[in-house]
Amino acid sequence: MSVKLTEDMLKAFPDARGHFGDFGGRFVSETLMDSLMTLEKEYLRLKEDPEFQAAFDKDLADYVGRPSPLYFAERLTEETGGAQIWLKREDLNHTGAHKVNNTIGQALLASFLGKKRIIAETGAGQHGVATATVCARLGLECHVFMGAEDVQRQSLNVFRMKLLGATVHAVESGTRTLKDAMNDAMRDWVANVDDTFYIIGTVAGPHPYPLLVRDFQSVIGRETRRQALEKTGRLPDALVACVGGGSNAIGMFYPFLSDETVQLYGVEAGGLGIDTGQHAAPLCAGRPGVLHGNRTYLMEDENGQIAGTHSVSAGLDYPGVGPEHAWLKDIGRANYVSVTDDEALDGFRKLTHVEGIMPALETAHAVAYAIKLAATMDKDQMVVINVSGRGDKDIHTIAQLDGIGI
Amino acid sequence: MSRIEAVLKNLKSESRKALIPYITAGDPAPDQTVALMHTLVRAGADIIELGVPFSDPMADGPVIQLACERALKHGTSLRQVIAMVREFRETDTDTPVVLMGYLNPMEAMGYEAFADAAADAGVDGVLTVDLPPEEADQVAPLFAERQLDPIFLLAPTTTDERIRAISEHSSGYVYYVSIKGVTGSASINVEEVASKVAHVHELTALPVGVGFGIRDAKTAAAVGRVSDGVIVGSVLVDTIARNQADPEALNQALTDLLHPMREALDSLAQ
């Protein structure tokens, strides 16, 4: 099933209760309801406030370094032998990933709301670093919750956060990864709700987070649209982005949703293979449920217990996904696919060798799928990969897989 | 009249306060839960809140998180928890049982299948921590048709407008969360709780139970003085954790903990 989404229809999502069709909503304990309703009210007001928007745009330009380039990957295109492959260079942002677009926006919101204490969850550490960065700049107290397993495999980012003045809390409960970090961030928020702003890093969580994170990240797709028209005189035929929680993907997709000719591909972490169960691909292999404040596709067992996930990339190692993606899947507007750890590692090496651009392991999933996709398309067609982050943080993981000690 | 309503009405007529212990089903092992429920009743429980274990208990502190992990290690499922209530009902038809947990296990089972099975087994109320009334439009009619009382939380941050609205969606009692925080985290400020609960009483005719932060006879009595009942959770679950290897010691420890609370609450009536 596929429906044509008009601009007017898009304005109706999410609805007043934060629902995208059957997904989204606000499933939290009562203590947080008042804060979420206040946040929603204030955000909807500030969204229309020229002063707030000007402050956001100025930071994106002067602090983040936007617009990020749309780059024609000529050698990768030649080697692939299909559609033109273009790269949206979010890896060139300050702090090295798309995450900072959102943390700038939410930190501004926190300042407007007068909150001085910031908390965040992080998987790969990119969102943690981006949050610690804006907190350093604005003089805000920063606490980052990170699964103990991720603290180990992303030690470089842990050190970066500490250098930036953040307190990093290693979360030992549950599976010791991103979902548990989010649980502990929520627990901290409940206990400190009066003075604390929770900067959620992805398009999941209770309403209005999926809405406001999508809005802040949509700068990616707006720029891509404009740059594609300027450089090629047309819109791309396909957009490819990796999906963990899905913030870089929704940021890229959203401004194109009513452009029927643009195919959207979200690439989930296939881990050791979907059929092994060792993956992090809820849209490809999960079912609807409720976790972390919203209804969405989840990886869970038959009793509704959340399943452990596996991915070589810490940033995709999450059993849920943003509710807007769940909705786009069900209405058939976006395609959700997966690539395995091994395929992603091949994508990492390919982009590094052929273009001299080292992508994050998360991004490498999108690269791997885009190469496969482009090969099936005509030479006059155009694919854009959202290069959501750079790979420096993953050097240790890659070296370890290669048996090299550094 | 539901079993919960009847029990609370009866207590009120005697000027007594409800003692409502919480334990996590399946902790320390599924085959011990029904016996523990009977122990709670013998030690003075008026209503039992039976926790349904969940892999991601976001509103709970470490004590109940670990209880969930112990229960899930044995594979305790929502269906099994309902079966435990059915077994409990074979010998106790008086004590109301409220299932307390998170939405996803219920969603995975199917709301209607859950409501049917729960009502049939003798469950009396359902408290779903991450289901505010705004999102309860699917489950509310299913519960109402089967006389399952939907029990919702009120928090220190809940506005008057919401207190009224939430009470309208509730039956049996409302659960006032005494502190901003997760279960088992802080000790309560009795004066603050007293004034807030008095205010809640002005806005709803439903009985008000108070939970979070009640750990001994003294706090139970202080909170009982201003409410219709006290809910005791983490301190019991912690006792279960410390005595899990020895069922007899566990029985005794739970009794030693609850019985003084019962006496302290009943002394308020005299």
Side-chain angles (χ1 to χ4, degrees), chain B:
Chain B
M1 194 185 303
S2 78
R3 196 156 19 206
I4 295 173
E5 200 184 338
V7 162
L8 291 173
K9 210 167 192 173
N10 191 36
L11 283 167
K12 196 174 178 78
S13 72
E14 298 170 2
S15 301
R16 293 170 68 228
K17 309 292 180 171
L19 177 59
I20 309 176
Y22 165 99
I23 57 171
T24 303
D27 171 36
D31 59 4
Q32 294 183 49
T33 298
V34 174
L36 289 177
M37 291 168 75
H38 288 305
T39 299
L40 298 177
V41 174
R42 279 193 299 272
D46 297 301
I47 297 172
I48 293 173
E49 285 189 357
L50 188 60
V52 180
F54 183 49
S55 54
D56 294 78
M58 278 172 297
D60 286 299
V63 169
I64 293 178
Q65 287 173 43
L66 290 172
C68 286
E69 285 181 20
R70 287 191 294 273
L72 290 175
K73 206 170 280 174
H74 295 285
T76 309
S77 67
L78 178 54
R79 284 177 197 279
Q80 283 172 358
V81 177
I82 293 168
M84 291 171 193
V85 177
R86 183 184 299 280
E87 191 187 332
F88 174 76
R89 279 279 168 262
E90 286 171 8
T91 47
D92 186 328
T93 53
D94 299 326
T95 311
V97 176
V98 173
L99 295 188
M100 179 170 184
Y102 295 79
L103 186 59
N104 202 52
M106 205 197 293
E107 177 140 331
M109 185 172 170
Y111 293 140
E112 189 155 6
F114 166 75
D116 278 340
D120 190 57
V123 170
D124 301 286
V126 181
L127 197 174
T128 313
V129 177
D130 55 350
L131 183 70
E134 286 91 336
E135 298 285 359
D137 43 2
Q138 278 185 60
V139 300
L142 295 172
F143 287 2
E145 284 159 19
R146 291 160 184 80
Q147 292 190 316
L148 290 167
D149 285 320
I151 295 169
F152 289 104
L153 301 173
L154 301 175
T157 53
T158 308
T159 59
D160 286 4
E161 191 189 343
R162 279 186 68 76
I163 292 175
R164 285 196 199 92
I166 291 169
S167 303
E168 270 174 34
H169 285 89
S170 308
S171 59
Y173 58 97
V174 289
Y175 183 138
Y176 179 72
V177 176
S178 66
I179 50 163
K180 293 173 198 161
V182 293
T183 52
S185 51
S187 51
I188 55 173
N189 178 333
V190 174
E191 275 170 34
E192 230 176 83
V193 173
S195 86
K196 186 76 188 189
V197 172
H199 186 61
V200 171
H201 274 301
E202 288 168 14
L203 301 173
T204 176
L206 283 173
V208 181
V210 176
F212 285 41
I214 293 159
R215 32 188 79 249
D216 51 28
K218 197 175 151 219
T219 43
V223 171
R225 195 166 285 131
V226 298
S227 66
D228 301 295
V230 299
I231 299 139
V232 187
S234 291
V235 67
L236 289 174
V237 174
D238 191 42
T239 302
I240 292 173
R242 280 187 286 104
N243 294 281
Q244 53 184 304
D246 183 347
E248 256 178 54
L250 174 55
N251 252 322
Q252 193 57 48
L254 286 179
T255 306
D256 291 348
L257 193 65
L258 270 189
H259 196 67
M261 294 191 194
R262 174 80 273 166
E263 288 190 327
L265 286 176
D266 286 347
S267 71
L268 297 171
Q270 279 135 35

Side-chain angles (χ1 to χ4, degrees), chain A residues 31 33 67 85 92 145 244 246 251 254 268 291 308 337 393:
Chain A
T31 310
M33 286 299 284
I85 300 174
L92 294 178
F145 295 86
Y254 185 69
E268 294 194 303
L291 180 69
V337 296
K393 69 181 175 60

Side-chain angles (χ1 to χ4, degrees), chain A residues 92-105:
Chain A
L92 294 178
N93 290 342
H94 180 42
T95 72
H98 74 290
K99 292 289 186 189
V100 73
N101 302 326
N102 168 49
T103 58
I104 293 266

Side-chain angles (χ1 to χ4, degrees), chain A residues 321-341:
Chain A
V321 65
E324 193 161 6
H325 287 295
W327 176 63
L328 291 174
K329 170 191 159 76
D330 272 18
I331 64 170
R333 177 61 187 98
N335 308 289
Y336 294 94
V337 296
S338 69
V339 304
T340 63
D341 287 351

